[in-house]
Amino acid sequence: MTTVNEEPTALLSIGEFAQRSGLSISALRFYGDCGLLVPARIDGSSGYRYYEAHQLREATLLRHLRALEMPIAEIQSFLTADPAAARAALDSYWKRLEQRFDRSRSAFAAVQLLLSSKEEAMPATTTLDGSELARALRQVLPAAGPIGKEPRYPAAVLIDLREDGVRLVATDGHRLAVRDLPSSTLDLGRTAIDAAEAERLASMAEDAGPITLSAGSELAVRASSVSVSFPAVSDHYPDYEAILARCGSSRLLVRTADLGARLDRNRDLVVLKLAGTATSSDGVAFPATYEGDDLTVGFNPSFLADALAAGIGPEAILQRGSPIDPVAIRSADGGTLTCLVMPIRLKD
Protein backbone atom coordinates (compact mmCIF):
# COMPACT_ATOMS: atom_id res chain seq x y z
CA MET A 1 0.00 0.00 0.00
CA THR A 2 1.24 3.50 -0.89
CA THR A 3 0.15 6.74 0.81
CA VAL A 4 0.17 9.77 -1.52
CA ASN A 5 -1.08 13.35 -1.49
CA GLU A 6 -1.84 13.74 -5.20
CA GLU A 7 -5.06 12.38 -6.75
CA PRO A 8 -4.30 8.88 -8.07
CA THR A 9 -5.25 7.91 -11.59
CA ALA A 10 -6.46 4.58 -13.09
CA LEU A 11 -7.64 3.49 -9.65
CA LEU A 12 -11.08 2.74 -8.26
CA SER A 13 -12.42 4.76 -5.36
CA ILE A 14 -13.70 2.80 -2.39
CA GLY A 15 -17.28 3.55 -3.49
CA GLU A 16 -16.70 2.26 -7.02
CA PHE A 17 -14.82 -0.76 -5.71
CA ALA A 18 -17.63 -1.54 -3.26
CA GLN A 19 -20.23 -1.39 -6.02
CA ARG A 20 -18.27 -3.66 -8.35
CA SER A 21 -17.11 -6.17 -5.71
CA GLY A 22 -20.39 -6.55 -3.83
CA LEU A 23 -18.72 -5.64 -0.52
CA SER A 24 -19.95 -2.71 1.53
CA ILE A 25 -17.71 0.29 2.20
CA SER A 26 -17.63 -0.53 5.91
CA ALA A 27 -16.63 -4.13 5.11
CA LEU A 28 -13.81 -2.89 2.85
CA ARG A 29 -12.54 -0.63 5.61
CA PHE A 30 -12.65 -3.54 8.08
CA TYR A 31 -10.86 -5.95 5.72
CA GLY A 32 -8.26 -3.30 4.97
CA ASP A 33 -7.60 -2.61 8.65
CA CYS A 34 -7.16 -6.32 9.45
CA GLY A 35 -4.88 -6.89 6.45
CA LEU A 36 -7.17 -9.08 4.36
CA LEU A 37 -7.73 -6.65 1.49
CA VAL A 38 -5.36 -3.69 1.72
CA PRO A 39 -6.09 -0.67 -0.55
CA ALA A 40 -3.57 -0.05 -3.32
CA ARG A 41 -3.26 3.57 -2.17
CA ILE A 42 -4.53 5.85 0.59
CA ASP A 43 -4.60 9.62 0.08
CA GLY A 44 -2.38 11.12 2.76
CA SER A 45 -4.47 14.26 3.28
CA SER A 46 -8.03 13.03 2.80
CA GLY A 47 -7.63 9.40 3.88
CA TYR A 48 -9.53 8.26 0.79
CA ARG A 49 -8.85 4.66 -0.17
CA TYR A 50 -8.23 3.48 -3.72
CA TYR A 51 -8.06 0.02 -5.22
CA GLU A 52 -6.65 -1.46 -8.40
CA ALA A 53 -8.95 -3.34 -10.76
CA HIS A 54 -7.10 -6.64 -10.34
CA GLN A 55 -8.07 -6.61 -6.63
CA LEU A 56 -11.69 -7.26 -7.62
CA ARG A 57 -10.94 -10.98 -7.95
CA GLU A 58 -9.55 -11.12 -4.41
CA ALA A 59 -12.51 -9.10 -3.10
CA THR A 60 -15.02 -11.45 -4.77
CA LEU A 61 -13.20 -14.47 -3.36
CA LEU A 62 -13.22 -12.87 0.09
CA ARG A 63 -16.96 -12.17 -0.17
CA HIS A 64 -17.72 -15.81 -1.00
CA LEU A 65 -15.48 -17.14 1.77
CA ARG A 66 -17.26 -14.96 4.30
CA ALA A 67 -20.59 -16.20 2.92
CA LEU A 68 -19.33 -19.68 3.85
CA GLU A 69 -18.69 -18.30 7.36
CA MET A 70 -14.97 -19.04 7.13
CA PRO A 71 -13.17 -17.39 10.08
CA ILE A 72 -10.93 -14.39 9.37
CA ALA A 73 -7.79 -16.23 10.52
CA GLU A 74 -8.44 -19.08 8.07
CA ILE A 75 -9.14 -16.63 5.23
CA GLN A 76 -5.77 -14.95 5.86
CA SER A 77 -3.99 -18.28 5.47
CA PHE A 78 -6.16 -19.20 2.48
CA LEU A 79 -5.41 -15.99 0.54
CA THR A 80 -1.65 -16.36 0.96
CA ALA A 81 -1.52 -20.10 0.14
CA ASP A 82 -0.45 -21.54 -3.19
CA PRO A 83 -3.29 -22.93 -5.38
CA ALA A 84 -2.85 -26.56 -4.29
CA ALA A 85 -2.78 -25.68 -0.59
CA ALA A 86 -5.77 -23.36 -1.03
CA ARG A 87 -7.76 -26.13 -2.71
CA ALA A 88 -6.91 -28.57 0.10
CA ALA A 89 -7.89 -25.99 2.73
CA LEU A 90 -11.20 -25.34 0.97
CA ASP A 91 -11.99 -29.07 0.74
CA SER A 92 -11.18 -29.52 4.43
CA TYR A 93 -13.37 -26.57 5.43
CA TRP A 94 -16.25 -27.86 3.29
CA LYS A 95 -16.13 -31.25 5.02
CA ARG A 96 -16.38 -29.49 8.38
CA LEU A 97 -19.36 -27.51 7.10
CA GLU A 98 -21.08 -30.71 5.96
CA GLN A 99 -20.49 -32.34 9.34
CA ARG A 100 -21.90 -29.28 11.11
CA PHE A 101 -24.92 -29.31 8.81
CA ASP A 102 -25.48 -33.04 9.43
CA ARG A 103 -25.45 -32.43 13.19
CA SER A 104 -27.88 -29.54 12.81
CA ARG A 105 -30.13 -31.58 10.55
CA SER A 106 -30.20 -34.45 13.06
CA ALA A 107 -31.02 -32.07 15.89
CA PHE A 108 -33.78 -30.52 13.77
CA ALA A 109 -35.19 -33.98 13.01
CA ALA A 110 -35.15 -34.87 16.71
CA VAL A 111 -37.00 -31.64 17.59
CA GLN A 112 -39.58 -32.31 14.86
CA LEU A 113 -40.10 -35.80 16.21
CA LEU A 114 -40.55 -34.52 19.75
CA LEU A 115 -43.03 -31.87 18.62
CA SER A 116 -45.05 -34.36 16.56
CA SER A 117 -45.27 -36.75 19.51
CA LYS A 118 -46.02 -34.11 22.14
CA GLU A 119 -49.55 -35.37 22.67
CA GLU A 120 -48.55 -39.03 22.46
CA ALA A 121 -46.34 -41.38 24.42
CA MET A 122 -42.72 -40.30 23.96
CA PRO A 123 -40.87 -42.73 21.66
CA ALA A 124 -37.44 -44.04 22.52
CA THR A 125 -35.12 -42.05 20.26
CA THR A 126 -31.41 -41.89 19.56
CA THR A 127 -29.08 -40.45 16.93
CA LEU A 128 -25.87 -42.14 15.79
CA ASP A 129 -23.49 -42.34 12.85
CA GLY A 130 -25.05 -44.09 9.86
CA SER A 131 -21.90 -45.88 8.69
CA GLU A 132 -21.33 -47.31 12.19
CA LEU A 133 -24.94 -48.52 12.31
CA ALA A 134 -24.62 -50.16 8.88
CA ARG A 135 -21.43 -51.98 9.86
CA ALA A 136 -22.92 -53.14 13.17
CA LEU A 137 -26.08 -54.46 11.50
CA ARG A 138 -24.02 -56.50 9.06
CA GLN A 139 -21.94 -57.89 11.92
CA VAL A 140 -24.99 -59.37 13.66
CA LEU A 141 -27.14 -60.28 10.63
CA PRO A 142 -25.48 -63.68 9.95
CA ALA A 143 -26.75 -64.87 13.35
CA ALA A 144 -30.34 -64.23 12.25
CA GLY A 145 -30.02 -67.17 9.87
CA PRO A 146 -30.16 -67.22 6.07
CA ILE A 147 -32.79 -64.80 4.80
CA GLY A 148 -35.73 -66.77 3.39
CA LYS A 149 -35.09 -69.91 5.50
CA GLU A 150 -37.07 -71.01 8.57
CA PRO A 151 -34.93 -70.47 11.69
CA ARG A 152 -35.92 -71.51 15.19
CA TYR A 153 -36.72 -67.89 15.99
CA PRO A 154 -38.02 -65.23 13.57
CA ALA A 155 -35.24 -64.04 11.25
CA ALA A 156 -35.02 -60.60 12.80
CA VAL A 157 -32.70 -58.04 14.36
CA LEU A 158 -33.65 -56.56 17.72
CA ILE A 159 -32.80 -52.85 18.07
CA ASP A 160 -32.66 -52.18 21.80
CA LEU A 161 -32.33 -48.54 22.90
CA ARG A 162 -30.70 -48.62 26.33
CA GLU A 163 -29.36 -46.05 28.78
CA ASP A 164 -25.79 -46.56 27.57
CA GLY A 165 -26.55 -46.69 23.85
CA VAL A 166 -28.00 -48.95 21.17
CA ARG A 167 -27.69 -52.74 21.29
CA LEU A 168 -28.27 -54.82 18.15
CA VAL A 169 -29.18 -58.48 18.66
CA ALA A 170 -29.77 -61.34 16.23
CA THR A 171 -30.30 -65.06 16.84
CA ASP A 172 -31.55 -68.14 15.02
CA GLY A 173 -31.62 -70.30 18.15
CA HIS A 174 -28.24 -71.91 17.45
CA ARG A 175 -26.15 -68.75 17.66
CA LEU A 176 -26.56 -65.21 18.86
CA ALA A 177 -24.74 -61.96 18.03
CA VAL A 178 -24.78 -58.78 20.11
CA ARG A 179 -23.20 -55.46 19.11
CA ASP A 180 -23.23 -52.32 21.28
CA LEU A 181 -23.08 -48.80 19.85
CA PRO A 182 -22.56 -45.85 22.20
CA SER A 183 -25.12 -43.06 21.82
CA SER A 184 -27.33 -40.81 23.91
CA THR A 185 -30.92 -42.03 24.03
CA LEU A 186 -34.20 -40.32 24.80
CA ASP A 187 -36.22 -42.80 26.86
CA LEU A 188 -35.79 -46.57 26.50
CA GLY A 189 -37.42 -48.96 24.06
CA ARG A 190 -36.88 -51.80 21.64
CA THR A 191 -38.15 -52.95 18.26
CA ALA A 192 -37.36 -56.11 16.31
CA ILE A 193 -37.43 -55.83 12.52
CA ASP A 194 -37.23 -58.51 9.85
CA ALA A 195 -33.70 -59.49 8.78
CA ALA A 196 -34.34 -58.43 5.18
CA GLU A 197 -35.55 -55.05 6.46
CA ALA A 198 -32.43 -54.79 8.63
CA GLU A 199 -30.28 -55.24 5.53
CA ARG A 200 -32.33 -52.52 3.80
CA LEU A 201 -31.72 -50.26 6.80
CA ALA A 202 -27.98 -50.97 6.60
CA SER A 203 -27.93 -49.99 2.91
CA MET A 204 -29.84 -46.80 3.70
CA ALA A 205 -27.59 -45.89 6.64
CA GLU A 206 -24.09 -46.51 5.28
CA ASP A 207 -23.78 -43.16 3.46
CA ALA A 208 -26.45 -41.23 5.35
CA GLY A 209 -24.32 -39.43 7.95
CA PRO A 210 -26.15 -38.97 11.27
CA ILE A 211 -29.27 -41.14 11.50
CA THR A 212 -32.10 -40.97 14.04
CA LEU A 213 -33.90 -44.10 15.27
CA SER A 214 -37.19 -44.16 17.17
CA ALA A 215 -38.27 -47.51 18.61
CA GLY A 216 -41.92 -48.22 19.32
CA SER A 217 -44.71 -50.08 17.54
CA GLU A 218 -42.44 -49.71 14.49
CA LEU A 219 -38.91 -48.51 13.87
CA ALA A 220 -38.98 -44.94 12.56
CA VAL A 221 -35.78 -43.85 10.82
CA ARG A 222 -34.82 -40.37 9.71
CA ALA A 223 -31.67 -39.62 7.72
CA SER A 224 -31.04 -36.34 5.90
CA SER A 225 -34.39 -35.50 4.32
CA VAL A 226 -35.57 -39.13 4.15
CA SER A 227 -37.97 -40.72 6.64
CA VAL A 228 -38.71 -44.46 6.57
CA SER A 229 -40.69 -46.75 8.87
CA PHE A 230 -39.84 -50.43 9.30
CA PRO A 231 -42.62 -52.68 10.64
CA ALA A 232 -41.94 -54.58 13.84
CA VAL A 233 -42.05 -58.38 13.78
CA SER A 234 -44.97 -59.63 15.82
CA ASP A 235 -43.31 -62.74 17.23
CA HIS A 236 -41.96 -62.67 20.77
CA TYR A 237 -38.21 -62.09 20.75
CA PRO A 238 -36.15 -64.39 23.04
CA ASP A 239 -34.68 -63.10 26.30
CA TYR A 240 -31.15 -62.61 25.02
CA GLU A 241 -29.90 -61.16 28.32
CA ALA A 242 -30.71 -64.43 30.11
CA ILE A 243 -28.78 -66.29 27.40
CA LEU A 244 -25.76 -64.00 27.83
CA ALA A 245 -25.82 -64.62 31.58
CA ARG A 246 -25.27 -68.36 31.02
CA CYS A 247 -21.69 -67.89 29.81
CA GLY A 248 -19.31 -69.29 32.41
CA SER A 249 -15.70 -68.72 33.44
CA SER A 250 -13.77 -71.26 31.33
CA ARG A 251 -11.74 -69.25 28.82
CA LEU A 252 -9.82 -70.00 25.65
CA LEU A 253 -7.54 -67.24 24.31
CA VAL A 254 -6.62 -67.80 20.67
CA ARG A 255 -5.62 -65.89 17.57
CA THR A 256 -8.58 -65.78 15.22
CA ALA A 257 -6.40 -66.74 12.24
CA ASP A 258 -5.17 -69.89 14.03
CA LEU A 259 -8.69 -70.99 14.98
CA GLY A 260 -10.09 -70.03 11.58
CA ALA A 261 -7.53 -72.25 9.85
CA ARG A 262 -9.03 -75.26 11.63
CA LEU A 263 -12.59 -74.58 10.41
CA ASP A 264 -13.85 -76.31 7.28
CA ARG A 265 -17.24 -74.97 6.19
CA ASN A 266 -17.79 -78.11 4.11
CA ARG A 267 -17.97 -80.21 7.27
CA ASP A 268 -20.86 -80.46 9.72
CA LEU A 269 -18.72 -80.65 12.85
CA VAL A 270 -15.45 -79.42 14.29
CA VAL A 271 -14.28 -80.79 17.63
CA LEU A 272 -11.94 -78.88 19.92
CA LYS A 273 -10.08 -80.60 22.75
CA LEU A 274 -9.16 -78.09 25.43
CA ALA A 275 -6.60 -78.93 28.10
CA GLY A 276 -4.22 -76.06 28.75
CA THR A 277 -3.93 -75.64 24.98
CA ALA A 278 -6.18 -76.57 22.04
CA THR A 279 -6.30 -79.41 19.51
CA SER A 280 -8.78 -79.65 16.64
CA SER A 281 -10.58 -82.78 15.44
CA ASP A 282 -7.90 -83.42 12.79
CA GLY A 283 -5.38 -83.88 15.60
CA VAL A 284 -3.54 -80.62 14.94
CA ALA A 285 -2.60 -78.56 17.99
CA PHE A 286 -2.60 -74.79 17.53
CA PRO A 287 -1.35 -71.93 19.73
CA ALA A 288 -3.90 -71.12 22.42
CA THR A 289 -4.23 -70.65 26.16
CA TYR A 290 -7.06 -72.39 27.98
CA GLU A 291 -8.17 -71.84 31.58
CA GLY A 292 -10.72 -74.28 32.98
CA ASP A 293 -11.50 -77.97 33.33
CA ASP A 294 -10.40 -80.23 30.48
CA LEU A 295 -13.10 -80.17 27.84
CA THR A 296 -13.98 -81.67 24.48
CA VAL A 297 -16.60 -79.65 22.64
CA GLY A 298 -18.12 -79.72 19.15
CA PHE A 299 -19.36 -76.86 16.98
CA ASN A 300 -20.84 -76.18 13.59
CA PRO A 301 -17.70 -74.86 11.83
CA SER A 302 -19.68 -72.40 9.69
CA PHE A 303 -21.19 -70.80 12.79
CA LEU A 304 -17.74 -70.38 14.36
CA ALA A 305 -16.30 -69.03 11.10
CA ASP A 306 -19.14 -66.50 10.77
CA ALA A 307 -18.51 -65.28 14.32
CA LEU A 308 -14.78 -64.80 13.69
CA ALA A 309 -15.43 -63.07 10.36
CA ALA A 310 -17.89 -60.60 11.90
CA GLY A 311 -15.07 -58.45 13.24
CA ILE A 312 -13.98 -60.02 16.52
CA GLY A 313 -10.40 -58.84 16.00
CA PRO A 314 -6.96 -60.48 15.76
CA GLU A 315 -7.37 -62.32 19.08
CA ALA A 316 -10.54 -63.88 20.48
CA ILE A 317 -11.70 -65.15 23.84
CA LEU A 318 -14.07 -68.14 23.88
CA GLN A 319 -15.91 -68.34 27.19
CA ARG A 320 -18.29 -71.05 28.36
CA GLY A 321 -19.97 -72.61 31.38
CA SER A 322 -21.51 -76.08 31.43
CA PRO A 323 -21.28 -78.51 28.48
CA ILE A 324 -24.79 -77.52 27.35
CA ASP A 325 -24.34 -73.75 27.67
CA PRO A 326 -23.52 -71.49 24.72
CA VAL A 327 -19.96 -70.36 24.08
CA ALA A 328 -19.41 -66.61 24.02
CA ILE A 329 -16.87 -65.33 21.49
CA ARG A 330 -15.50 -61.87 22.20
CA SER A 331 -12.58 -59.73 21.16
CA ALA A 332 -9.59 -60.12 23.48
CA ASP A 333 -9.13 -56.33 23.47
CA GLY A 334 -12.58 -55.62 24.90
CA GLY A 335 -14.52 -54.85 21.71
CA THR A 336 -18.26 -54.23 21.56
CA LEU A 337 -19.21 -57.35 19.56
CA THR A 338 -20.19 -60.62 21.27
CA CYS A 339 -21.16 -63.78 19.38
CA LEU A 340 -22.66 -66.85 21.05
CA VAL A 341 -22.63 -70.30 19.47
CA MET A 342 -24.42 -73.35 20.85
CA PRO A 343 -22.19 -76.44 21.10
CA ILE A 344 -23.11 -79.70 19.39
CA ARG A 345 -23.74 -82.59 21.75
CA LEU A 346 -21.09 -85.24 21.14
CA LYS A 347 -21.71 -88.96 21.34
CA ASP A 348 -19.90 -90.73 24.16
Side-chain angles (χ1 to χ4, degrees):
M1 177 185 69
T2 303
T3 301
V4 296
N5 291 320
E6 66 273 10
E7 182 73 18
T9 59
L11 294 176
L12 299 173
S13 69
I14 191 170
E16 293 172 315
F17 194 79
Q19 187 175 19
R20 293 179 60 177
S21 67
L23 293 171
S24 67
I25 291 177
S26 60
L28 287 172
R29 291 185 182 278
F30 172 75
Y31 295 142
D33 292 343
C34 65
L36 279 181
L37 186 59
V38 179
R41 293 183 182 180
I42 297 179
D43 186 282
S45 58
S46 66
Y48 290 164
R49 303 183 183 209
Y50 297 90
Y51 298 82
E52 294 178 347
H54 71 82
Q55 290 182 283
L56 285 170
R57 180 183 179 279
E58 189 174 359
T60 303
L61 181 60
L62 176 56
R63 175 165 57 85
H64 288 308
L65 291 174
R66 289 301 290 157
L68 289 173
E69 299 183 359
M70 182 178 284
I72 294 295
E74 291 189 43
I75 293 178
Q76 287 176 321
S77 299
F78 182 90
L79 293 178
T80 57
D82 61 67
R87 170 63 64 182
L90 184 62
D91 290 343
S92 175
Y93 183 71
W94 181 250
K95 288 179 182 178
R96 284 156 47 202
L97 277 184
E98 288 183 318
Q99 291 169 355
R100 187 194 314 165
F101 180 70
D102 285 340
R103 290 193 297 269
S104 299
R105 186 163 48 194
S106 296
F108 177 74
V111 171
Q112 279 190 315
L113 188 63
L114 291 174
L115 290 176
S116 64
S117 60
K118 189 174 181 180
E119 303 299 327
E120 305 170 3
M122 191 73 71
T125 302
T126 191
T127 299
L128 61 164
D129 180 75
S131 61
E132 281 294 309
L133 175 62
R135 181 171 182 269
L137 283 167
R138 289 178 174 138
Q139 284 179 308
V140 303
L141 266 169
I147 295 175
K149 298 293 182 67
E150 290 294 332
R152 182 176 173 184
Y153 293 111
V157 174
L158 177 68
I159 299 174
D160 191 359
L161 274 59
R162 302 154 56 89
E163 289 183 355
D164 54 353
V166 179
R167 173 169 284 181
L168 307 179
V169 186
T171 182
D172 61 3
H174 303 286
R175 52 190 168 162
L176 181 145
V178 177
R179 172 69 196 278
D180 290 319
L181 293 170
S183 70
S184 57
T185 59
L186 177 65
D187 213 342
L188 309 180
R190 55 172 58 181
T191 303
I193 62 173
D194 182 80
E197 295 283 55
E199 175 56 42
R200 188 162 73 93
L201 173 57
S203 298
M204 170 186 173
E206 57 190 348
D207 296 318
I211 190 165
T212 299
L213 308 179
S214 297
S217 58
E218 61 182 9
L219 182 70
V221 179
R222 184 185 293 270
S224 300
S225 58
V226 179
S227 297
V228 180
S229 294
F230 296 88
V233 296
S234 57
D235 303 71
H236 174 69
Y237 204 82
D239 184 0
Y240 74 88
E241 291 178 315
I243 299 173
L244 286 173
R246 290 168 54 189
C247 299
S249 58
S250 297
R251 293 158 54 94
L252 174 70
L253 174 63
V254 62
R255 289 188 301 178
T256 54
D258 291 335
L259 179 55
R262 310 266 48 88
L263 304 178
D264 184 350
R265 289 181 180 268
N266 295 318
R267 294 181 177 271
D268 295 327
L269 175 69
V270 61
V271 177
L272 301 181
K273 296 181 179 180
L274 308 177
T277 183
T279 304
S280 60
S281 48
D282 55 8
V284 176
F286 54 93
T289 302
Y290 175 67
E291 299 174 358
D293 296 334
D294 291 357
L295 180 67
T296 299
V297 60
F299 296 101
N300 180 313
S302 292
F303 290 174
L304 269 187
D306 284 344
L308 297 178
I312 291 295
E315 289 189 316
I317 291 177
L318 279 65
Q319 184 177 339
R320 70 164 303 171
S322 74
I324 62 172
D325 284 335
V327 173
I329 306 169
R330 299 186 174 96
S331 171
D333 62 4
T336 58
L337 174 66
T338 299
C339 297
L340 272 67
V341 177
M342 288 298 297
I344 295 176
R345 188 182 298 274
L346 300 176
K347 295 180 180 180
D348 295 333

